[in-house]
Each structure stands twice: as structure tokens, then as C-alpha cells.
Amino acid sequence: MTIELQNMTSTSQTFRIIPPATSAFAIGLGKFPGEGGIVAPGMSCYYTVQFIPEHLADYEDYILVETQSPYPLLVPLEARRPPPILTLPQVLDCGACLVGGIKFSEFLCRNAGSSCGKFCIMPKGMWPPPHFWAVATIGFVEQEPFGIQPAIFELLPGQSIVIETAFFPSFPGAASVTYTI
């Protein structure tokens, strides 16, 4: 995004930009109509602002523009990204299985949102992870008597993936565990 700052006064002005505080926004060097960073009356200078998020979240920040005027100009920055929406049910019912046996089930998971997303399945007790890759595993993510895979996947809008579960009870009765995606 490009921000245009126009000198609306009757004298030439210099602009001092205080960049955003968060690392999600970056501001480039200004483009000025003349030499020395001075903007004549009626002229404009331009700054490019980039949005570089590390996480899927909404961000708010601001740029502070200082001139010879006693009051600085506050330029708010907002970045919102519609989240991906997974069609996976809240409870994955794996059905019955004999003690000592193993039962595999498949569940279709679709991204019904308008943004792509990268997902990691982990035991609820490991949330929040210190870093995404700290909990990422290959194959099944196990919490006895269940396993689930894939541990990591990425879905574009409209894309689907099959989530596979394994149920391997070692004692009779109902069993449940909680995973976080």
C-alpha cells in the first residue's frame, strides 16, 4: 500500500516518519518530488507500507508523521485477513473397537474460507506451542488410545484433505482425548 502525504500549507515542509512499532508492518524510504526531502506547497511525497505478518491475526498500528506543525499526524494502520474455515466436525466419532484391536476412520476436512491456511494438529496440552515447528511431527500424532494424521497440512480456499484417525483401545469402555488444530 502507498501512502501519499500532501503539503497543504503555503510553505515548504519536511516530513519525519516514525515507523510502526509492530514487526507486522514495514515502511520503505520516502519518494520526494525534489532534493533533500523537502515538499513544496501542493506537492506530495509517497511512502510504501508493507504488511508482513508472522501469524494469522488482525493487526493494528500507526505511523506518526511529524512536520514543522506543532501537531503530529497519526496515520492508523489496520490489517485484517479473513480466516480459513475448516469443515471438520468438533467431535470425530471413531466408533467401537475391540480391546487390543485397531480401527481406522477417515474424515473429510475442507477449507470453506477465503484464505489459505497452514494447520498443525497437536494434543491440547501442548497448546500454545513455543513455535509452530516445535510440536510438528511426521505421521500420526498419538494420544493413547488415539492417533490422528496428517500432523501438518495446508489448504487453499476450497481445497480438501482426508484426516485419518486410529483407535487402538487397551481397556474396555468409552475413550476420548482432545486435539487442537
Side-chain angles (χ1 to χ4, degrees), residues 134-163:
V135 294
T137 60
I138 303 295
F140 279 92
V141 179
E142 290 189 23
Q143 275 193 110
E144 288 195 23
F146 294 96
I148 189 167
Q149 75 171 357
I152 300 170
F153 59 96
E154 188 170 354
L155 291 175
L156 297 172
Q159 256 187 339
S160 298
I161 191 168
V162 173
I163 303 293

Side-chain angles (χ1 to χ4, degrees), residues 77-88:
L77 299 173
E78 290 184 2
R80 308 217 185 283
R81 183 179 134 182
I85 299 168
L86 297 181
T87 61
L88 196 63

